[in-house]
Amino acid sequence: IDAMCEVTGGRSYAVTSNRVLHQCIESLVQKLQSGVVIHFEKIGSDPPLLPDTDMVEVVGDITKEVETVAGKFVAGGLVSVGGGGGGSRPHTPNAGQVGGGNTAWHSCRKLIYVQRSAQKGFAVGFWPLPEAFWPDVSAHTLPQRSAHPTLKFTCTNQEPMVIENLPFDKYELEPSPLTLFILGRKQPNFCWQVFIQGSTKNGDTGHPFGYLKASTNLLTVNLFVLPYNYPMLLPLLDDLFKAHRLKPTNEWRTQFHNYLRTMPTYYAGPLRRALS
């Protein structure tokens, strides 16, 4: 049962007494959140160790600690983004850095919380998650895909980016070994980029479409979703708005067309709406 629960992003409970039953029910109620299951998987090397003064040892089973604590409980030039998580959901505890070579955070299948629009009654987002294949207009059928998207993330610190006049989506991650690890590093001014394997023409890891970032209050970790290959697009749009004042030069048009060659065609509609 545990293996099946892991595949579906859930967990199992062993009820041995009436008291444990009530604890399990309370835990389940806490998990009744609107969201999507995502498989987060690390690629590349681990991040460098932090100085001892910035590290807090986590003792015992990290996953058990997450469950225990959790059960008790858009935009302006190139700028840094942060902010805390809202709502009544349990926050990830600021437990510190994973010690003892624990690698549970390397691969986690957990929820991202998706808020419903109060006006429309359903979730509204600006950007899709990339598909794990490059669209082929001549294909008669679409390739099969996993029920849960697999987001690859790298542990290289990057500067978080958003720009004025371009929206982004922000989703809080369910508490997990990954959120514990990120929060324990206490680096809310940096982010880790995320990718989808197979999202480019040649089928490789492709370009980043967002990043994982700790909130400034170090209570939650959020997934920021932006246009595909945003490190190339955002500086171009920033120049268009500020330097060229919406009057692009021939050089700018050439650079923008080069960007479009890296972008899957299904991003055209969202990008057009975002810029209109």
Side-chain angles (χ1 to χ4, degrees):
I1 293 179
D2 280 342
M4 178 57 69
C5 289
E6 173 62 25
V7 169
T8 58
R11 62 156 298 176
S12 62
Y13 297 86
V15 179
T16 57
S17 67
N18 190 55
R19 183 177 63 86
V20 173
L21 175 62
H22 286 289
Q23 291 175 342
C24 293
I25 292 174
E26 181 181 351
S27 176
L28 287 171
V29 170
Q30 291 279 348
K31 295 177 180 297
L32 294 178
Q33 305 289 343
S34 176
V36 175
V37 176
I38 300 287
H39 183 196
F40 294 95
E41 189 174 87
K42 182 187 77 72
I43 55 174
S45 58
D46 285 2
L49 293 177
L50 298 176
D52 291 341
T53 54
D54 294 333
M55 293 172 62
V56 179
E57 188 74 15
V58 176
V59 180
D61 183 348
I62 185 171
T63 306
K64 183 176 179 181
E65 181 174 0
V66 172
E67 295 294 343
T68 302
V69 179
K72 295 178 181 175
F73 303 133
V74 172
L78 287 176
V79 298
S80 173
V81 292
S88 59
R89 295 185 297 275
H91 292 306
T92 304
N94 186 8
Q97 178 155 328
V98 178
N102 196 312
T103 59
W105 63 276
H106 286 184
S107 180
C108 294
R109 199 182 302 265
K110 294 294 181 179
L111 279 175
I112 59 171
Y113 299 125
V114 180
Q115 297 283 358
R116 295 184 179 182
S117 168
Q119 293 79 17
K120 298 184 178 181
F122 54 85
V124 178
F126 296 103
W127 307 105
L129 298 184
E131 297 288 353
F133 58 87
W134 187 263
D136 182 1
V137 294
S138 62
H140 297 291
T141 58
L142 293 175
Q144 290 185 345
R145 61 181 180 181
S146 170
H148 304 147
T150 298
L151 270 61
K152 310 280 189 178
F153 65 90
T154 60
C155 301
T156 304
N157 282 351
Q158 302 285 347
E159 294 287 340
M161 297 171 62
V162 294
I163 66 167
E164 193 174 358
N165 300 321
L166 191 74
F168 59 87
D169 298 315
K170 178 181 174 183
Y171 305 102
E172 180 186 334
L173 272 65
E174 177 185 15
S176 70
L178 175 58
T179 59
L180 271 176
F181 186 85
I182 293 175
L183 293 175
R185 294 181 65 79
K186 299 180 181 179
Q187 295 182 319
N189 295 324
F190 294 103
C191 66
W192 290 351
Q193 293 178 330
V194 291
F195 308 78
I196 293 285
Q197 181 75 38
S199 58
T200 59
K201 288 182 180 179
N202 54 15
D204 61 12
T205 304
H207 303 286
F209 65 92
Y211 48 81
L212 297 171
K213 182 185 175 301
S215 60
T216 51
N217 58 14
L218 294 176
L219 289 178
T220 60
V221 174
N222 298 295
L223 169 66
F224 287 81
V225 179
L226 295 138
Y228 192 78
N229 196 7
Y230 72 89
M232 182 176 181
L233 175 64
L234 267 57
L236 279 173
L237 294 181
D238 206 41
D239 285 344
L240 178 65
F241 296 141
K242 294 182 175 179
H244 304 305
R245 301 198 178 276
L246 300 178
K247 296 180 179 178
T249 62
N250 289 334
E251 180 183 359
W252 187 93
R253 291 178 186 275
T254 299
Q255 292 177 328
F256 186 67
H257 287 154
N258 290 337
Y259 162 76
L260 293 178
R261 294 190 184 97
T262 72
M263 182 193 79
T265 54
Y266 49 82
Y267 273 87
L271 182 59
R272 187 180 300 110
R273 287 191 295 271
L275 296 176
S276 61

